[in-house]
Amino acid sequence: MARRPLWRDRNFGIFWAAQTLSAAGDSFAYIAVPLLVLRATGSVAQMGLLTGVAGAASVCAGIGAGVLVDRVDRRTLLICCDLARMALYGLIPLAWAFGPQVWLLYLVLPACEAIGMVFNVTYVTAVRNLADADRITEANGLLFASAAAVGVAGPLLAGLVAGLLGPAAAIAFDA
């Protein structure tokens, strides 16, 4: 008996679509935040410092993420992580409407990276709850294929939006 394609499973399909959209949004942030810093400060060093601080926050969050993931509902944690990042990224274009606020980036970007690390750890464990054991490879294949596709298309679109409307608009699109 032929099984229904995994992408037609309601729970997996919703997860797959949401994660594809989220990966596309992440592409916007990866392009737009450095452009925003460069435009506001003219300093490549500031851009590098912000990236380093964000990376350190991600590593620190990764240390305790596994413990958190094992103790809370994974679905709720995934949703909360995405909502928190949406709200934090949404602050940037709102603040930028009143002029460049580089200090805000030093708060928001590390927080978003830390939350993103918790999300990624949760994401890896959540897939096994969405697909049968014999379909995990198929599920991961679909998820990673769509992430790779938006990894190519996302930065292209982010560059176009940032070029036409400015980096703050690209971050608003991400949020």
Side-chain angles (χ1 to χ4, degrees):
M1 185 170 98
R3 289 168 73 173
R4 219 169 63 173
L6 188 57
W7 60 270
R8 294 196 63 196
D9 176 85
R10 182 182 183 276
N11 290 333
F12 180 79
I14 290 169
F15 182 75
W16 185 27
Q19 293 323 301
T20 301
L21 185 60
S22 181
D26 289 344
S27 296
F28 271 71
Y30 293 138
I31 297 296
V33 170
L35 289 174
L36 200 60
V37 172
L38 190 59
R39 182 178 279 184
T41 66
S43 171
V44 174
Q46 285 278 353
M47 223 170 52
L49 180 61
L50 181 61
T51 302
V53 170
S58 180
V59 169
C60 289
I63 293 170
V67 173
L68 176 65
V69 169
D70 285 340
R71 295 189 177 167
V72 299
D73 178 62
R74 292 181 178 122
R75 181 176 186 267
T76 302
L77 186 57
L78 286 169
I79 291 167
C80 288
C81 285
D82 269 349
L83 289 173
R85 289 192 309 163
M86 178 189 72
L88 287 168
Y89 279 125
L91 287 174
I92 295 170
L94 288 175
W96 238 259
F98 301 103
Q101 309 291 329
V102 176
W103 63 271
L104 180 66
L105 296 176
Y106 281 95
L107 297 176
V108 169
L109 193 59
C112 285
E113 289 296 317
I115 294 166
M117 175 57 77
V118 171
F119 179 91
N120 288 337
V121 171
T122 310
Y123 174 89
V124 169
T125 62
V127 173
R128 70 171 189 232
N129 294 332
L130 293 168
D132 295 332
D134 63 330
R135 298 186 91 179
I136 296 281
T137 302
E138 180 186 356
N140 282 327
L142 290 170
L143 290 163
F144 283 100
S146 62
V150 298
V152 172
L156 174 65
L157 292 172
L160 289 172
V161 171
L164 293 172
L165 305 173
I171 294 171
F173 188 82
D174 173 25

